[in-house]
Amino acid sequence: MAVSVDPLVVGRVIGDVVDMFVPSVNMSVYYGAKHVTNGCDIKPSVSVNPPKLTLTGKKESLYTLIMTDPDAPSPSEPSMREWVHWIVVDIPGGTNPFRGKEILPYTGPKPPVGIHRYIFVLFEQKGPMGPVEQPESRGNFNTRNFAKDLDLGLPVATTYFNAQKEPASRKR
């Protein structure tokens, strides 16, 4: 009998970035027409701008979204783990991040070497956020500690994609 293995475990998202959790909200992420599914490949040139992201969730609830890269600067030596790409709080359930409050502006993937994982982690808030300070640096961010500091608990949804440096275009 085949055993179903969670792609978040296989991709080491659970472990490197978040602890085991039970998803309770559907989150859809699209870069243009490309739907982000766990472990899919997205080119950095396609992900320059923030993705279209929709979530179900309870209409009366608010959510926090974090996008992070645990493989910075290189998957074999992630000395800057994690590199945070985007933080949005107070996202109303059933909407998208643009209805929330951006704490850290989106920056697209720019993997210098190797294949990097880019992870979207969604948390349900206990209530509206007061002032939330921007991290001092994008490098050495820690999703678990950020969630703990804001009393967010475990994630309610997460998805990730892989990206690697694109070859420079050749001029003729």
Side-chain angles (χ1 to χ4, degrees):
M1 185 163 134
V3 176
S4 171
V5 181
D6 189 322
L8 298 174
V9 173
V10 174
R12 296 183 338 275
V13 171
I14 291 175
D16 286 353
V17 178
V18 296
D19 294 321
M20 187 64 82
F21 71 100
V22 176
S24 58
V25 172
N26 287 324
M27 177 172 63
S28 295
V29 181
Y30 289 87
Y31 282 103
K34 177 75 172 166
H35 181 228
V36 175
T37 57
N38 286 325
C40 73
D41 294 322
I42 306 262
K43 292 181 175 158
S45 60
V46 171
S47 54
V48 171
N49 296 314
K52 179 181 180 216
L53 192 144
T54 56
L55 51 113
T56 58
K58 302 175 216 138
K59 301 250 186 268
E60 66 279 3
S61 291
L62 295 170
Y63 296 87
T64 293
L65 175 72
I66 298 170
M67 178 184 170
T68 186
D69 169 6
D71 301 317
S74 131
S76 59
E77 292 185 31
S79 60
M80 296 200 305
R81 174 180 288 169
E82 303 161 33
W83 187 271
V84 64
H85 283 260
W86 199 20
I87 301 174
V88 185
V89 301
D90 291 340
I91 304 166
T95 66
N96 63 66
F98 301 104
R99 299 277 314 275
K101 182 170 61 178
E102 193 172 66
I103 301 301
L104 192 64
Y106 179 88
T107 60
K110 292 184 182 100
V113 64
I115 298 171
H116 289 235
R117 296 166 291 163
Y118 293 90
I119 304 164
F120 295 94
V121 184
L122 187 71
F123 296 92
E124 185 172 350
Q125 299 172 196
K126 291 185 172 49
M129 289 287 173
V132 177
E133 287 192 29
Q134 205 177 61
E136 290 179 24
S137 149
R138 288 184 185 261
N140 297 112
F141 180 80
N142 186 300
T143 298
R144 283 185 185 94
N145 288 346
F146 185 82
K148 185 178 177 192
D149 291 347
L150 295 180
D151 194 25
L152 295 171
L154 291 172
V156 293
T158 189
T159 191
Y160 81 100
F161 67 92
N162 296 315
Q164 59 187 318
K165 186 175 185 170
E166 294 177 80
S169 56
R170 293 191 179 105
K171 294 184 179 170
R172 293 183 175 208

